[in-house]
Amino acid sequence: MHATTIDIARHNADLFDRSEIAEWYGGQSLFASEAVILERFRDAYAGKRLLDLGVGSGRTTGALLPDVADYVGIDKAEAMLAVARRRFPGATFLDMDVRAISEFGPGRFDFVLGALAILSAFDHAERLGVIASVHEVLAPGGVFAFSFHNRAWHRAGGMPLHARSWHPREIVNSVHPQSWINYLRLRPFAHEEADYAIHVDPAHRWSGLFYFIDLATQERQLEAAGFEILARFGEDGRALAAGDDTSRDGLLNLVCKKAGAPH
């Protein structure tokens, strides 16, 4: 069986549209890499127009809302949006598919954020489409910052026993029977291609099918879409240079700008 026989985006979306998961995310703070990026690139969004892709329960909203002139967060998980709207009643949250952002029109935003590897929830063609749409909705010189699943991670594609960290929650989730049941059910849909892989990866005692790509290949995708790379960061927020070892990073982060105008 091949991954095209399952709707990856729909499967992954259903994992997160649950009230208990939405409430849990509502209590989470920024990751180390996100805090570093938002501090370093504050001038790119402060007083400007920002689009937050896959905003979920508003985990990133609190850090952004005080600084931006126009904040829009989008998501398709109703349970997540309900929590976000309760926490930040003054913010704009839309029930909208990330793949539909071209509906905003050209140049609508100055900064687009794709936190928590939101692009990894889509298949290859859809991912390239989202990147193209982000380029379209950004104003000249606009900035796109996002995280993604790292194909070079030493645990990429591993069994659900392999937790991302030694945190008790990660250990419990990784050995939970439901993780194994879902892993075995989805494993036939995983596959490797020259430029990317679709791997089964744990998500809240369930499993998703996520897109994994290495840093260099992801940069080439962005450059082909008209972006210029500004910075690279590891999962812990450390700055990366091209060619650095990323085998210990489950997630990587890139910051790029719409080419053709100074940042």
Side-chain angles (χ1 to χ4, degrees):
M1 286 186 289
H2 192 275
T4 54
T5 62
I6 187 173
D7 187 336
I8 293 175
R10 170 51 55 193
H11 172 80
N12 292 332
D14 288 345
L15 294 176
F16 296 92
D17 199 5
R18 307 177 187 192
S19 58
E20 68 276 13
I21 294 175
E23 292 292 345
W24 183 83
Y25 271 111
Q28 301 306 300
S29 57
L30 294 178
F31 297 152
S33 56
E34 294 167 343
V36 169
I37 290 169
L38 294 185
E39 175 60 31
R40 177 169 169 180
F41 291 92
R42 178 170 277 109
D43 288 347
Y45 63 84
K48 299 181 181 180
R49 304 164 299 168
L50 185 142
L51 175 62
D52 202 341
L53 304 177
V55 65
S57 299
R59 187 182 61 85
T60 53
T61 307
L64 295 165
L65 199 57
D67 290 330
V68 300
D70 179 12
Y71 176 90
V72 178
I74 67 168
D75 207 289
K76 283 299 295 179
E78 294 181 4
M80 292 277 199
L81 288 174
V83 174
R85 287 167 175 151
R86 186 186 73 222
R87 296 179 65 213
F88 303 101
T92 299
F93 296 107
L94 302 178
D95 181 349
M96 185 178 192
D97 195 307
V98 171
R99 294 167 292 185
I101 61 172
S102 60
E103 295 177 9
F104 284 114
R108 169 67 176 81
F109 298 98
D110 303 297
F111 194 106
V112 175
L113 178 64
L116 205 59
I118 181 62
L119 268 65
S120 297
F122 304 106
D123 66 25
H124 183 62
E126 291 172 331
R127 182 190 185 90
L128 295 181
V130 171
I131 290 173
S133 295
V134 169
H135 187 273
E136 179 185 358
V137 302
L138 277 172
V143 171
F144 178 33
F146 70 105
S147 60
F148 57 96
H149 284 85
N150 178 24
R151 190 180 189 180
W153 182 40
H154 72 289
R155 293 177 179 172
M159 302 291 277
L161 179 63
H162 297 303
R164 290 188 180 278
S165 73
W166 291 110
H167 190 285
R169 182 185 67 251
E170 293 284 356
I171 298 298
V172 169
N173 285 348
S174 70
V175 300
H176 193 276
Q178 192 65 58
S179 292
W180 285 91
I181 292 170
N182 283 278
Y183 176 86
L184 295 172
R185 180 173 61 88
L186 294 172
R187 187 68 184 87
F189 298 108
H191 63 105
E192 300 264 0
E193 303 292 343
D195 290 341
Y196 69 95
I198 302 295
H199 287 314
V200 183
D201 202 55
H204 300 283
R205 298 188 180 179
W206 295 84
S207 292
L209 282 164
F210 297 110
Y211 186 106
F212 283 69
I213 187 170
D214 65 65
L215 184 60
T217 308
Q218 181 60 84
E219 291 189 21
R220 288 196 294 272
Q221 279 187 3
L222 292 166
E223 290 163 351
F227 285 101
E228 175 185 333
I229 306 303
L230 297 177
R232 314 165 183 87
F233 298 94
E235 191 164 11
D236 59 0
R238 73 191 189 286
L240 295 173
D244 281 356
D245 178 19
T246 63
S247 62
R248 309 299 295 184
D249 297 277
L251 296 179
L252 294 173
N253 302 263
L254 278 170
V255 183
C256 54
K257 74 168 184 175
K258 184 172 181 174
H263 165 50

